Amino acid sequence: LKFLENYLKLSRELGSLQDEGGALGSLGVTYAGMGDSERAISYSKKYLRIARKLGDVRGQAFALGNLARSYADLGDDANAIETYQQQLAIARELDDPYNKGHSLLNLSMLFGKQHRYDLAVPLAEDAVRSYERIKHGCYYRAIHHLLELCQKEGVSTR
């Protein structure tokens, strides 16, 4: 945290919005990992504003994913879903399988938690395909999630 706070301070002193955004994004992820979702949301929103100002669309996708994660951690599923859907739209526009896979998988998990399997299963299937495309390690996490969904009552195995 001390390193990131110093990085943020220095980037502001130098007037580097790109570095400031990077520092804010990293602070958001760090606080999310520490369980401080409120602070994570604050930093992620600031990162998102800077990414939008710079026209950094990929940075916007990362910021939205981090923001959605923190909403989900707080149990604010409605905001998490809306924010993951924004991330997914950007990922599709950029043909970015990494952010696409993450938003699809996380949306599927949220809908699965709500027992909305009609939405969760196709999202999980798409996540598997996205991760498979780039040989990402989350491929196995997505497969596991899809199998869990298929074992739920009312969901046929494929």
Side-chain angles (χ1 to χ4, degrees), residues 5 34 42 45 59 61 64 70-71 87 112 126 149:
E5 288 167 356
M34 295 170 54
S42 175
K45 284 182 176 180
L64 288 164
S70 295
Y71 286 140
Q87 180 191 31
D126 286 348
L149 288 173

Side-chain angles (χ1 to χ4, degrees), residues 42-72:
S42 175
Y43 281 109
S44 295
K45 284 182 176 180
K46 291 174 187 174
Y47 174 35
L48 180 59
R49 278 194 294 276
I50 288 176
R52 285 181 172 152
K53 184 175 184 175
L54 293 173
D56 177 6
V57 183
R58 192 170 309 278
Q60 291 175 49
F62 281 109
L64 288 164
N66 294 339
L67 187 56
R69 173 189 172 191
S70 295
Y71 286 140

Side-chain angles (χ1 to χ4, degrees), residues 80-150:
I81 289 168
E82 179 183 332
T83 308
Y84 278 130
Q85 288 173 332
Q86 291 174 37
Q87 180 191 31
L88 179 58
I90 290 172
R92 284 182 169 150
E93 178 184 322
L94 295 175
D95 191 27
D96 175 355
Y98 176 82
N99 277 304
K100 184 178 175 186
H102 281 345
S103 55
L104 288 165
L105 181 57
N106 287 308
L107 280 166
S108 177
M109 289 179 171
L110 286 166
F111 287 129
K113 184 173 107 176
Q114 297 174 352
H115 307 286
R116 296 172 68 188
Y117 303 119
D118 59 317
L119 298 173
V121 170
L123 290 166
E125 291 171 335
D126 286 348
V128 168
R129 284 190 287 277
S130 287
Y131 288 132
E132 184 178 36
R133 178 177 161 199
I134 58 173
K135 310 294 187 239
H136 194 276
C138 285
Y139 169 79
Y140 299 103
R141 182 174 169 226
I143 288 280
H144 179 75
H145 172 66
L146 179 58
L147 291 172
E148 284 181 340
L149 288 173
C150 289

Side-chain angles (χ1 to χ4, degrees), residues 26-47:
S26 295
L27 282 162
V29 169
T30 301
Y31 279 112
M34 295 170 54
D36 189 343
S37 298
E38 295 291 342
R39 197 172 281 179
I41 288 169
S42 175
Y43 281 109
S44 295
K45 284 182 176 180
K46 291 174 187 174
Y47 174 35

